[in-house]
Amino acid sequence: MIKVAVYIDDNCWAGLAMLVKEAFAVAGTLHARNADLKASALFEVRLAARGKRPVRSFTGPALLPEATLDEAAGSDIVVVPPFFFADEQRKTITPRLRRWLIDAYDNGATLLSMASGVRLLAETGLLDGHEVTGNPSDQRVFARHYPQIRFTPEAPLVIDGRILSAASINPCIDACAYLVGQFVGDGAARKFSRYTNSVRHPTYERMALKNAAHKQHADQRIKQAQEFIERHFKREISVEEAARCSAMSLRNFSRRFQQAVGMAPHSYIARCRAEYAKDLLARPGMSILEVAQQSGFRNEVTLRRAFDQLLGTTPTAYRSANGSALAQRLEDSEKVSARTW
């Protein structure tokens, strides 16, 4: 059982704290094809707090902690949900909470901050030198108080090694899907993503999810390079640029990438573009040239060449052979998007 601790305290957003519990419960029922929550559970999710007293959430409803910080030690995933912050002052945390978060990370836990929750995580020092996202309104907070952290609020979801940050509600669901892929497997993540996400607008989060199976290795710098490629493949990035972002020589980077991922860096870039193009082909009104340009291929020739090498077919033939399935995916996604989560 994968252990998840969701940190709660006064003024936290109760909705997103509970969203984590429900999202991971849904992932289990979909994976097992069984509505019995206990029988299908993949994750043990507990609300963790400094004590056992009820916590007053931002809008008033009380949340009852299910574990103290000490009892939640050893969790595989630690989630810091959003909190209500009315000003741009630093939000200091207690030494106990700081130690708990640092110990969790040092012991191998994956950390996920949701929206303004990243401000609490920033106080630990664990984010120094890392890239994170969050509320655009917090940009001045990070510039003033945490200049050593790369704050990119324009990115919906940032995955920097074992540190994940989501800027708003939808990316929080995408982050859960990514974690399902990391801890359970790509098949379970795909089921969860199909249930919760629309495929009408391919995103970086979905690309990260599609590539989860290629990140089952221990080379953190190569994982960061993969995530850099997943965020930027739609522009003309090069292997040399990815190597520089990883602070490695081109030769060393290419060798380590091939060893860790099982393919060359340029092949990974082409794969990301081709996977994105496959989603764009679901749009019947989009021409092959538009698909090529929006997915990072300069023209139709390079798009066709990539499809031939990776899929053994052409974009036109792929659209024709999968047309009904792609249309059904769009119809299903619209139905899912219309539901209230």
Side-chain angles (χ1 to χ4, degrees):
M1 187 75 70
I2 300 144
K3 296 182 178 180
V4 183
V6 182
Y7 173 69
I8 58 172
D9 208 336
D10 292 337
N11 277 332
C12 70
W13 286 28
L16 283 183
M18 296 305 298
L19 174 70
V20 177
K21 290 180 69 73
E22 295 180 344
F24 284 131
V26 165
T29 61
L30 292 173
H31 182 63
R33 297 183 180 179
N34 184 347
D36 186 321
L37 293 178
K38 286 188 176 181
S40 64
L42 298 170
F43 298 84
E44 179 189 18
V45 185
R46 295 189 294 175
L47 303 180
R50 289 177 290 170
K52 287 294 184 73
R53 70 167 180 82
V55 167
R56 182 180 175 84
S57 67
F58 166 49
T59 56
L63 293 173
L64 186 62
E66 298 162 305
T68 64
L69 297 184
D70 291 339
E71 291 169 343
S75 296
D76 302 294
I77 300 168
V78 172
V79 180
V80 182
F83 285 73
F84 175 69
F85 298 132
D87 55 49
E88 297 178 355
Q89 300 303 312
R90 291 184 73 156
K91 302 305 173 186
T92 58
I93 59 177
T94 65
R96 183 185 177 200
L97 175 59
R98 183 177 186 275
R99 186 72 263 161
W100 181 72
L101 290 167
I102 292 173
D103 285 347
Y105 186 73
D106 288 346
N107 289 327
T110 297
L111 307 182
L112 167 60
S113 64
M114 296 178 162
S116 60
V118 74
R119 291 176 62 175
L120 295 186
L121 205 52
E123 283 290 315
T124 66
L126 291 170
L127 303 185
D128 293 358
H130 287 275
E131 180 181 358
V132 298
T133 189
N135 291 329
S137 60
D138 285 334
Q139 193 145 20
R140 285 190 295 183
V141 172
F142 277 80
R144 181 184 305 168
H145 301 300
Y146 312 106
Q148 64 275 37
I149 300 172
R150 300 196 304 276
F151 186 66
T152 55
E154 67 277 6
L157 173 66
V158 171
I159 304 169
D160 192 344
R162 288 187 289 112
I163 296 175
L164 282 67
S165 51
S168 57
I169 295 175
N170 284 344
C172 288
I173 297 175
D174 291 318
C176 290
Y178 178 84
L179 291 170
V180 171
Q182 287 289 294
F183 284 89
V184 181
D186 193 41
R190 283 199 303 269
K191 288 179 183 178
F192 177 79
S193 186
R194 283 198 300 268
Y195 184 82
T196 58
N197 293 337
S198 168
V199 298
R200 179 175 291 277
H201 301 291
T203 61
Y204 156 63
E205 300 85 40
R206 294 192 67 244
M207 188 57 60
L209 177 59
K210 287 184 176 184
N211 288 325
H214 296 285
K215 294 176 182 171
Q216 304 301 314
H217 58 79
D219 194 327
Q220 292 300 320
R221 290 172 70 184
I222 294 301
K223 283 184 181 179
Q224 291 175 17
Q226 289 175 268
E227 289 150 10
F228 169 80
I229 291 169
E230 289 158 4
R231 287 195 294 271
H232 301 292
F233 66 86
K234 287 185 286 184
R235 63 178 178 82
E236 292 189 25
I237 61 171
S238 64
V239 175
E240 289 81 1
E241 185 177 359
R244 285 196 301 272
C245 289
S246 304
M248 285 187 274
S249 69
L250 177 60
R251 181 177 180 180
N252 186 39
F253 173 73
S254 298
R255 177 186 60 79
R256 281 176 58 170
F257 197 101
Q258 177 73 50
Q259 184 177 32
V261 183
M263 68 180 77
H266 71 270
S267 297
Y268 196 78
I269 295 172
R271 183 186 186 281
C272 288
R273 289 171 175 166
E275 288 291 336
Y276 190 85
K278 284 164 61 178
D279 283 334
L280 294 181
L281 288 169
R283 304 180 187 182
M286 182 171 285
S287 70
I288 300 299
L289 177 59
E290 289 174 317
V291 171
Q293 292 174 337
Q294 291 195 26
S295 56
F297 296 105
R298 287 190 296 272
N299 50 52
E300 294 179 63
V301 173
T302 52
L303 172 64
R304 286 198 298 270
R305 184 181 300 122
F307 262 58
D308 180 56
Q309 292 174 347
L310 296 171
L311 304 174
T313 187
T314 66
T316 302
Y318 178 85
R319 171 180 272 174
S320 177
N322 297 276
S324 59
L326 293 172
Q328 185 61 51
R329 284 168 58 195
L330 284 175
E331 182 179 344
D332 291 344
S333 73
E334 289 169 353
K335 290 178 181 178
V336 169
S337 296
R339 297 173 184 160
T340 300
W341 176 253

